[in-house]
Amino acid sequence: MKIKNIIFTLLCAACLLSCTDEMNFREYTVYDKEYVLTDFGRTGALVTNVYSFLESGLPGSSSLCSASDEAEYAWAWATIHLFNNGRWSQRNTYSQFGVYQGIRAANYFLELYPQADFSEHKFDKDYQEQLNRFLRYPYEVRLLRAYFYFTLVRTYGDVPFTEEVLTPEEANTLSRTPAADIFDFIVKECDAVAPEPPVRYTDLENDAANGSVPDDGRVTRGTALALKARALLYQASPLFNERGDRELYKKAAQASKDVIDFCRENNFNLGKYSEIWGTDNWKASEMLFVRRVGDTNTPEQINFPVGMEGGNSGNCPTQTLVDAYEIKSTGLAWDEANSGYDPNNPYADRDPRFSMTIAVNGEKWPDTNPYPLENYTGGRNALPVSGATPTGYYLKKYLDPTRVIGTTNNNGGSRHSWVLFRLGEFYLNYAEAVFNYLGSADAVDSDFPMSAREAVNVIRKRSDVDMPDFPEGMSNDRFWTRYKRERMVELAFEEHRFWDIRRWKEGELFKSIDVVTITQNPDESFTYTRVKKERVWDDKMYLYPIPQSEILKNENLTQNPGWN
């Protein structure tokens, strides 16, 4: 296993990708433990290093959106196509075992921190404030370690587990711990940690995290509640709950309710959908934990349309995703009777989240593009231009439309932040869990007075969305179909869809995607033709293969079913 020795050069030259600009740190050469553990700043750098192992799913060439039915990556060379073309294998895979480096960094800090001695600083003016910060570090690191284990268990199922700092030789003797035990560990850690971090760091008084040195960007009480709720929903889902144990759904529903109640009590609210991304998205009122990536224009360089200066296409939304956006005036899907869908004007009267997420033919996108998009065959931004959208659409979400990315007048990067937990997800998680526990969309009881249907309707009533309510009396099949559609829309390009289909064990949905071919007619109107593109799916893909390189190093490490 790639559980490598962590030397102080790596630890102390910590990345700040997870935190704010104000979370200052320094770079050091190699120092011994005594030097590091007698200084607040140097000890803090060990913790910042643990944060650096958090993932960022900003839309790039390896984004999982293009390994799901949300998008298709425009360039054939991208390795993300391995998920879709049948070439995925234990020897040719996206390995997640690098997460163990973060786990080892966490274990290393938790082993070392009791040895810290700051007595030489006890007369410093801010000694108590710095000590307060230090005393929170173990809880932050434990929560991060629990999150790392969550990313592993959702990927592989049973995984090697340790809370100790192991040598490479010791690490390469570990066998796989059952997924149920990993989930139990995550939940227990979240329960233990939740009371310790603040609700918001900016609310702290008499603390070094307040004033000029805010710690926004670190995990909070809400992060702990959110991780527990997400982990319990995954554990209750068919991939990990083969017996269909309804009590697991009850636990998941309660945990999501706890998140919702916590947010209500502490003034975390659903705001505008458009606030979920953009340079200030980390300030949005529903954010529970956001990774600050920093100033960059890489997402724009990768995803802006081919045909404008500097545009390289990239993750292009599918017609499958477009079809998930209902008609606003009726609340019906495009292909349902009396929906109001107009095939000659297919994007009219759609759920407002559609136009916030996806750029269509004829639209002026981005702001710095001097021309409206020509996504029709032979157009400026369409095939047969090399790298043009293969789906008929371009991406908006998470991109800054004001960026100039060409070689002339490049206006640099803008702040990007990756959302790890936000309130909107937990209304959906609650709806799914309580629906499966109580057995219908309208059912309530003394523990769960809000029905699954009502929870979804909260999401649909954002001020800049305002979609028609889900009606009472839906059949279970009808609710489940609409719930999945709602989840696909609300969480588009936030790397949920890839995992949702797996935990639901509905992989047949990944056997194909729909795209659109747009033809310009002589009268300059357009014809939109759906085209189905086949993909490869095998049920062994519900879990990743253990990389063969890891199995060769560890005779106790077994392969997931179907990948031998």
Side-chain angles (χ1 to χ4, degrees), residues 17 21 72 113 145 216 251 296 373 381 427 458 493-494 552 554:
L17 296 181
D21 294 339
E72 176 90 346
Y113 90 91
R145 180 178 61 181
D216 272 357
K251 292 178 180 179
T296 177
L373 288 175
N381 312 104
Y427 277 103
V458 172
F493 298 99
E494 296 181 44
L552 291 174
N554 182 354

Side-chain angles (χ1 to χ4, degrees), residues 32-249:
D32 60 23
K33 285 190 279 188
E34 181 179 356
Y35 183 81
V36 172
L37 296 175
T38 56
D39 180 87
F40 286 115
R42 292 188 286 269
T43 305
L46 301 181
V47 179
T48 303
N49 180 63
V50 180
Y51 275 93
S52 75
F53 291 98
L54 287 168
E55 82 274 23
S56 168
L58 289 173
S61 61
S62 58
S63 294
L64 293 180
C65 59
S66 287
S68 76
D69 54 0
E70 288 180 318
E72 176 90 346
Y73 200 77
W75 296 92
W77 51 258
T79 55
I80 197 68
H81 291 296
L82 291 176
F83 287 101
N84 308 321
N85 61 19
R87 295 178 57 211
W88 192 16
S89 74
Q90 63 270 39
R91 294 178 179 82
N92 196 17
T93 185
Y94 268 74
S95 174
Q96 298 293 309
F97 268 57
V99 174
Y100 279 107
Q101 297 179 49
I103 291 171
R104 180 175 170 85
N107 289 342
Y108 192 71
F109 173 81
L110 292 170
E111 181 182 283
L112 282 182
Y113 90 91
Q115 305 172 36
D117 179 6
F118 306 117
S119 57
E120 65 183 57
H121 296 285
K122 65 182 179 180
F123 296 112
D124 291 356
K125 182 179 180 180
D126 63 346
Y127 173 76
Q128 188 59 52
E129 290 82 359
Q130 293 282 10
L131 184 62
N132 291 344
R133 175 186 284 189
F134 170 77
L135 293 175
R136 288 195 300 270
Y137 286 161
Y139 300 104
E140 294 178 40
V141 171
R142 286 172 64 183
L143 189 56
L144 292 170
R145 180 178 61 181
Y147 182 80
F148 296 149
Y149 272 118
F150 170 74
T151 66
L152 286 168
V153 73
R154 75 179 178 186
T155 305
Y156 296 105
D158 304 348
V159 291
F161 175 82
T162 182
E163 297 178 73
E164 300 176 357
V165 179
L166 305 178
T167 66
E169 292 74 22
E170 291 171 329
N172 286 325
T173 65
L174 292 177
S175 57
R176 300 172 69 178
T177 296
D181 294 342
I182 303 294
F183 281 118
D184 287 347
F185 169 79
I186 294 166
V187 170
K188 289 176 182 177
E189 284 292 270
C190 290
D191 284 340
V193 168
E196 303 301 332
V199 173
R200 293 181 179 87
Y201 285 88
T202 52
D203 293 340
L204 294 176
E205 297 180 1
N206 301 319
D207 193 286
N210 196 31
S212 62
V213 195
D215 268 0
D216 272 357
R218 293 187 181 274
V219 295
T220 63
R221 191 170 305 167
T223 312
L225 296 174
L227 175 57
K228 175 184 175 179
R230 187 187 290 176
L232 283 171
L233 181 64
Y234 272 65
Q235 187 178 21
S237 299
L239 181 61
F240 299 104
N241 184 15
E242 294 181 356
R243 295 184 294 111
D245 184 352
R246 289 175 60 245
E247 287 301 307
L248 291 178
Y249 280 113

Side-chain angles (χ1 to χ4, degrees), residues 407-542:
T407 56
T408 60
N409 299 318
N410 189 309
N411 62 357
S414 57
R415 179 59 47 87
H416 288 74
S417 301
W418 176 245
V419 178
L420 287 165
F421 296 105
R422 62 179 179 89
L423 175 57
E425 174 195 344
F426 295 94
Y427 277 103
L428 291 169
N429 291 0
Y430 173 88
E432 181 178 337
V434 81
F435 168 72
N436 281 284
Y437 172 60
L438 294 179
S440 78
D442 296 319
V444 297
D445 68 7
S446 58
D447 292 322
F448 305 112
M450 178 171 59
S451 71
R453 177 185 59 81
E454 290 169 330
V456 174
N457 286 340
V458 172
I459 292 290
R460 292 167 68 86
K461 287 304 179 184
R462 291 178 184 273
S463 61
D464 60 345
V465 175
D466 195 25
M467 287 293 290
D469 283 346
F470 278 18
E472 294 185 53
M474 287 186 290
S475 70
N476 283 0
D477 286 345
R478 175 65 172 160
F479 174 79
W480 184 241
T481 296
R482 293 198 66 181
Y483 168 80
K484 289 188 294 183
R485 197 160 65 210
E486 181 70 19
R487 189 175 179 93
M488 189 179 191
V489 164
E490 173 71 17
L491 301 177
F493 298 99
E494 296 181 44
E495 289 202 345
H496 286 274
R497 181 72 173 177
F498 178 91
W499 302 109
D500 285 343
I501 293 300
R502 285 169 163 78
R503 65 182 180 83
W504 293 332
K505 297 193 75 172
E506 296 189 7
E508 67 277 0
L509 294 174
F510 282 177
K511 287 185 176 180
S512 65
I513 58 171
D514 286 341
V515 302
V516 68
T517 297
I518 306 172
T519 305
Q520 187 176 45
N521 302 317
D523 63 358
E524 297 189 354
S525 64
F526 298 97
T527 299
Y528 300 84
T529 305
R530 281 180 174 76
V531 178
K532 189 171 293 294
K533 292 185 69 172
E534 300 299 325
R535 286 181 169 179
V536 175
W537 173 265
D538 188 288
D539 284 353
K540 67 182 180 182
M541 297 177 183
Y542 285 123

Side-chain angles (χ1 to χ4, degrees), residues 274-349:
S274 57
E275 294 173 344
I276 293 169
W277 61 100
T279 56
D280 291 328
N281 68 332
W282 59 277
K283 298 179 182 178
S285 59
E286 73 174 277
M287 296 305 174
L288 295 170
F289 187 42
V290 178
R291 181 177 182 179
R292 316 290 177 78
V293 177
D295 290 351
T296 177
N297 62 12
T298 299
E300 289 75 31
Q301 289 177 329
I302 290 175
N303 294 285
F304 272 0
V306 161
M308 65 172 288
E309 185 179 5
N312 288 292
S313 198
N315 299 282
C316 298
T318 62
Q319 184 65 46
T320 305
L321 175 59
V322 170
D323 288 344
Y325 292 87
E326 297 172 347
I327 306 301
K328 180 173 172 58
S329 59
T330 62
L332 299 174
W334 71 278
D335 57 350
E336 293 182 290
N338 303 312
S339 69
Y341 173 75
D342 180 359
N344 297 314
N345 192 11
Y347 313 127
D349 192 28

